[in-house]
Amino acid sequence: MKRRKGIMLQGTASSVGKSLLTAALCRIFFQDGYRVTPFKSQNMALNSFITEEGLEMGRAQVIQAEASNIAPSAKMNPILLKPTAEKAAQVIIKGKVYKNMTASQYHEFKPQLKTMIKEIYEELSNSFDIVVIEGAGSPAEINLKENDIVNMGMAEIADSPVILIGDIDRGGVFASIYGTIMLLEENERKRIKGIIINKFRGDRKILEPGLKMLEELVNVPVLGVMPYGDLNIEDEDSVTDRFKKSAKKENAIKVDVIRLPYISNFTDFHIIETLPQVELRYVSSTDKIVDSDLVIIPGSKNTISDLKYLKDTGLDKEIINSHKRGAVIFGICGGYQMLGKSLADPYSVEGNIKEMDGLGLLDIETKFEGSKVTTQVEGFVEATGTIFNSSIKPIKVAGYEIHMGRTLLGKNAMPLIHITKRFKDEANYFDGAVNETGNVFGTYLHGIFDDGEFTLEVINYLLEKRGMDRVDKAIDLRGYKENEYNKLAKLFRENIDMKAIYAILEDTLC
C-alpha cells in the first residue's frame, strides 16, 4: 500500500493535549528516520514566533518543528488568530498581518482561505515523508461546521485519517468521545481510525472495561492511554495549567510574572521555571507581590488595555512598591512599554484610548504606529556594569521582535542592548532601556532568556543580592529541550500502539 502523507490529531475540545501529542508523533517519526513536519491550518494563540524570514507563526508549531528537528516555517501555521478583544482578533495570513476582524467577519471570510491552505499543505506534503496535522477545538462544533478549515474540513483537504483525543483529567471522557463521534456525519466518522485517552492518572486496569465498551459503541479502536509525565515542554496558550503552579522552593530567589489578561509569549519564561534556584509564579489581580527578587511584566497583545488592568486592580502600586523594596523590575515588549512615562495611540491601533500614563519607572515614551515590527535580531547587552554591578564583558543575546509601538528614550534612561545583526544582515542600533540605578530595565526582545549567558548573569545578580552562591554553568536550553522531547516520545511509545499508527499511515487499518 502507498504510504499516506498525513495523519491528523483532533480533540473532543480545546486543551485536550493535541499540541503535545502532535509534538510526540513528530519526534517519533524523526527518530524512526522519516522527514516529518507539523501543520496546523489555523491557530488561535497569543504565543507567537518570528521565523528567519520575518514571518509570524504560533509557538505550538515551533515546538513541533523542534521536535521534528527542522527549522520553523510559517507554512506550518498559515493562519494565526491573535485575540485583541472579546469578540475580535488580529488575523495573520502566511506570517503577515492581514487585518483585525470580528468573529462573525472572520467566519464569513474563511471560505476564501481554503485554496491557500490546500496549496500550502500540498507543498509540505511533497517535501516531507509525513505531515502530522493538528486540529483546533473540536470537530463537533456544529455551529462552525459549514466553513470548517481546521478540523474535518482540513482532513478532507488532506484526505487524512484522524486520531481523536479525549482528556480524561476533565472527567466525562467517554461521553465526550462518544458525543463527538455521534455528532459527525457518516463520511467524517469513517476518517476516525483511532482514539487516544490523554492526561490519565492512576491504574489503567480500572479503565479497561470502559475502553472495551467505548470501542464497541463507536467501532473505533482505542490506541492507548497517555498518562501525565514528568515533562517540561512549552504550553500552547493561556489555557495552560502553568499559571496555577507555585511550587515552593527552599532558599530560592522569587520571580513574579504579572499575568495580564492579554498576556503574550509567556513562553519567554519557560527556561527560568526549570532552574532549581528560582521559584516562579504568575501573579493576578487577587495576589500580592511580597518578597520578590524580580518582577517581570510580560508581553501583551493589547498593551494599553493591560496597563489599564494594572491600574484598575492596584497591581501597578504592587509593582512600584516592590521596586521601592529593592526588587528588580523587568519588562518585555508590551511590559517594557508599560514601564515608561506614557503610551500614545493616536491612530487607534490598539483601541479607543488615545493616551495613558505608564508606570513611570523608566524615562521612555512609546507611540503606537500602524506597521508591525517582526524581526530576528542579535546583539550585546552593553550596560552590564549598570545592571549587574559588575565589569564583565558585554553579554551576547538573541531574540525576536513582535510589536507595533516605537519607543524613545529620555535623558535618564540608557540603551540596554546594542543590536549588531538583523536577520542575517549587519545592523547598528539600540534596543531597550535601563534606569540610572540599574534595577529597572526592559527590551523588545522575546526569547532573551533563552540565551544561557544572559539568564545566568541575571540569576547570579539576584543570588548575590541575597548573599547566596553564584551559579557557574550557563543554561543549555537546546540540550534541555532535546531531552524533554525524547522523554515525551518514550512515554508515547510506552503507552500508545505505534504499530497501529503506522498501520493507519499505511492504509491497512480499517
Side-chain angles (χ1 to χ4, degrees), residues 79 103 123 128 144 220 226 242 250 339 345 362 401 441:
I79 305 168
E123 182 181 346
F128 291 89
L144 302 175
V220 178
M226 186 74 170
R242 191 172 299 274
E250 291 293 327
L339 289 174
D345 188 10
L362 277 177
E401 298 181 39
F441 54 108

Side-chain angles (χ1 to χ4, degrees), residues 227-233 245 480 483-485 487-488 491:
Y228 270 103
D230 183 21
L231 300 166
N232 193 350
I233 295 174
K245 295 179 181 179
Y480 182 89
N483 184 57
E484 294 300 301
Y485 295 142
K487 283 167 57 179
L488 172 64
L491 186 68

Side-chain angles (χ1 to χ4, degrees), residues 38-52:
F39 180 81
K40 186 168 185 175
S41 57
Q42 172 193 296
N43 197 355
M44 178 175 283
L46 288 176
N47 288 340
S48 61
F49 175 80
I50 300 302
T51 69
E52 293 178 350

Side-chain angles (χ1 to χ4, degrees), residues 255-294:
V255 177
D256 283 335
V257 179
I258 307 299
R259 182 182 174 181
L260 303 167
Y262 293 99
I263 185 173
S264 67
N265 288 63
F266 60 80
T267 49
D268 285 336
F269 319 115
H270 177 232
I271 191 62
I272 300 177
E273 296 177 30
T274 70
L275 303 176
Q277 303 88 358
V278 175
E279 178 185 311
L280 185 145
R281 68 170 187 157
Y282 287 88
V283 177
S284 64
S285 59
T286 59
D287 298 311
K288 297 289 184 181
I289 303 175
V290 181
D291 297 330
S292 298
D293 297 287
L294 173 64

Side-chain angles (χ1 to χ4, degrees), residues 118-375:
K118 188 175 188 296
E119 290 173 352
I120 292 176
Y121 175 79
E122 288 178 349
E123 182 181 346
L124 291 175
S125 182
N126 290 331
S127 302
F128 291 89
D129 298 323
I130 301 172
V131 183
V132 185
I133 311 165
E134 181 186 345
S138 164
E141 293 168 348
I142 54 179
N143 59 313
L144 302 175
K145 197 170 185 177
E146 182 182 359
N147 297 327
D148 176 48
I149 55 174
V150 69
N151 286 308
M152 283 301 174
M154 183 63 228
E156 183 179 348
I157 290 172
D159 190 20
S160 170
V162 173
I163 296 173
L164 185 65
I165 302 166
D167 177 1
I168 195 169
D169 194 45
R170 293 183 171 195
V173 70
F174 296 120
S176 63
I177 291 172
Y178 179 82
T180 297
I181 293 174
M182 289 302 106
L183 281 171
L184 298 176
E185 296 175 16
E186 184 61 30
N187 64 312
E188 295 171 330
R189 291 178 201 165
K190 289 179 180 179
R191 289 198 178 275
I192 300 180
K193 302 300 184 181
I195 295 166
I196 292 176
I197 308 292
N198 196 25
K199 301 185 183 181
F200 181 64
R201 309 175 194 260
D203 186 352
R204 176 173 169 160
K205 290 180 181 178
I206 299 173
L207 272 184
E208 291 295 342
L211 300 180
K212 291 177 182 177
M213 285 188 283
L214 179 65
E215 288 179 329
E216 292 172 0
L217 284 167
V218 298
N219 196 30
V220 178
V222 175
L223 305 179
V225 178
M226 186 74 170
Y228 270 103
D230 183 21
L231 300 166
N232 193 350
I233 295 174
E234 288 182 14
D235 301 277
E236 181 178 23
D237 213 337
S238 55
V239 291
T240 177
D241 291 332
R242 191 172 299 274
F243 293 150
K244 302 173 186 176
K245 295 179 181 179
S246 57
K248 301 294 181 183
K249 297 182 183 179
E250 291 293 327
N251 299 318
I253 56 177
K254 292 179 171 56
V255 177
D256 283 335
V257 179
I258 307 299
R259 182 182 174 181
L260 303 167
Y262 293 99
I263 185 173
S264 67
N265 288 63
F266 60 80
T267 49
D268 285 336
F269 319 115
H270 177 232
I271 191 62
I272 300 177
E273 296 177 30
T274 70
L275 303 176
Q277 303 88 358
V278 175
E279 178 185 311
L280 185 145
R281 68 170 187 157
Y282 287 88
V283 177
S284 64
S285 59
T286 59
D287 298 311
K288 297 289 184 181
I289 303 175
V290 181
D291 297 330
S292 298
D293 297 287
L294 173 64
V295 177
I296 301 175
I297 309 177
S300 167
K301 187 63 192 74
N302 195 320
T303 305
I304 292 180
S305 177
D306 277 344
L307 177 59
K308 184 176 184 299
Y309 162 81
L310 294 184
K311 294 184 176 187
D312 290 346
T313 60
L315 275 171
D316 61 332
K317 295 181 176 61
E318 290 285 323
I319 295 168
I320 292 169
N321 289 336
S322 185
H323 166 61
K324 291 177 180 177
R325 290 193 296 266
V328 175
I329 312 296
F330 183 32
I332 296 181
C333 200
Y336 165 46
Q337 295 168 342
M338 293 182 207
L339 289 174
K341 295 165 65 176
S342 67
L343 292 85
D345 188 10
Y347 309 113
S348 299
V349 172
E350 289 203 337
N352 296 323
I353 301 175
K354 297 294 186 181
E355 190 167 355
M356 183 175 288
D357 291 339
L359 299 180
L361 295 177
L362 277 177
D363 186 13
I364 61 172
E365 296 181 346
T366 297
K367 179 180 178 181
F368 292 99
E369 299 176 354
S371 59
K372 190 174 191 178
V373 175
T374 56
T375 184

